[in-house]
Amino acid sequence: MRSRRLDYSESTRSALVDSAVELFTKRGYAGTSLDEVAKRARVTKGALYHHFSGKQALFEAAFAQVESAVFGRLEEIMRGPEPPWERALAGLREFISSCLDPSYQRIAIHEGPVVMGWERWREAEDRASFGLIRSSLEDLIEAGEVDSVPVEITARLLFGALSSAATEIASSPDPKKVGAQVETVIVQLLTRVRRTD
């Protein structure tokens, strides 16, 4: 049986992370104080420090929560019963939709590289998205949908293109319009490499 103390500890941590996601989304990393996060989560600052060593550790937990929500949705699509081509297109649409989410835009795209540093942010992005792109590409090749290509380098190029697309969407004054343009362009590019025989 789980102890009540463990349940309380987990719910406190969860409340702090939810509070941090909300505040970092609205005010950004620089504009959010630990006092505000603790107050919104209805815990003491001491409780916050019990779970997190400081603001950066809390930001990284918020980043992980936002990233894992997107990853979970993408993974569900990529493991679905549809043919590989349909899964790839559905995954692309879901990724673009995620780029329209204010929390993902602010925390994962805009602030992540600054707060975590480029290298750590890139590693986190790699763990979250790169594996799905590579396995989707492998499925397309195996199904004969696209010609055999060097998987690692092709997946890296696609990953780079999607990362740039995410930044374009998140930085645009009209993210929906840019998201639709990104989808059109990437679908056209994928269709050109699709085997038709």
Side-chain angles (χ1 to χ4, degrees):
M1 289 221 4
R2 290 162 54 88
S3 73
R4 223 185 261 169
R5 180 182 226 159
L6 182 61
D7 283 344
Y8 178 74
S9 178
E10 285 181 6
S11 70
T12 299
R13 186 183 192 286
S14 180
L16 284 163
V17 174
D18 289 345
S19 172
V21 167
E22 198 172 321
L23 287 168
F24 288 141
T25 299
K26 280 184 185 166
R27 299 181 189 165
Y29 182 77
T32 300
S33 74
L34 290 180
D35 286 323
E36 289 174 298
V37 174
K39 186 177 177 184
R40 184 173 287 263
R42 297 187 175 155
V43 301
T44 65
K45 203 164 171 188
L48 186 151
Y49 278 113
H50 173 75
H51 290 279
F52 301 100
S53 60
K55 192 172 172 182
Q56 177 151 351
L58 182 60
F59 177 86
E60 290 186 17
F63 174 89
Q65 179 167 299
V66 167
E67 226 11 290
S68 68
V70 172
F71 178 81
R73 292 193 301 270
L74 288 172
E75 189 176 40
E76 194 175 320
I77 290 167
M78 295 312 191
R79 307 275 180 260
E82 295 81 11
W85 184 258
E86 298 307 318
R87 287 197 313 259
L89 294 182
L92 171 65
R93 288 185 193 104
E94 179 57 43
F95 176 73
I96 290 169
S97 174
S98 297
C99 292
L100 299 174
D101 174 70
S103 293
Y104 189 74
Q105 281 184 5
R106 186 80 181 251
I107 295 171
I109 300 170
H110 287 306
E111 304 237 316
V114 177
V115 177
M116 297 165 70
W118 176 257
E119 233 170 86
R120 291 196 61 217
W121 174 77
R122 200 69 179 162
E123 284 169 14
E125 289 287 291
D126 264 17
R127 283 193 303 274
S129 309
F130 180 69
L132 287 176
I133 292 170
R134 186 175 51 214
S135 64
S136 179
L137 181 60
E138 287 169 343
D139 290 347
L140 288 168
I141 293 168
E142 195 176 304
E145 292 280 5
V146 297
D147 285 325
S148 184
V149 291
V151 172
E152 193 71 17
I153 192 69
T154 306
R156 283 267 158 226
L157 291 170
L158 286 170
F159 179 66
L162 289 171
S163 293
S164 291
T167 304
E168 288 300 314
I169 293 167
S171 302
S172 170
D174 190 350
K176 281 187 178 175
K177 181 182 176 186
V178 174
Q181 290 172 339
V182 164
E183 182 180 336
T184 299
V185 170
I186 293 179
V187 169
Q188 283 178 352
L189 290 172
L190 288 173
T191 303
R192 286 176 192 227
V193 297
R194 189 179 188 193
R195 290 177 68 172
T196 52
D197 52 306

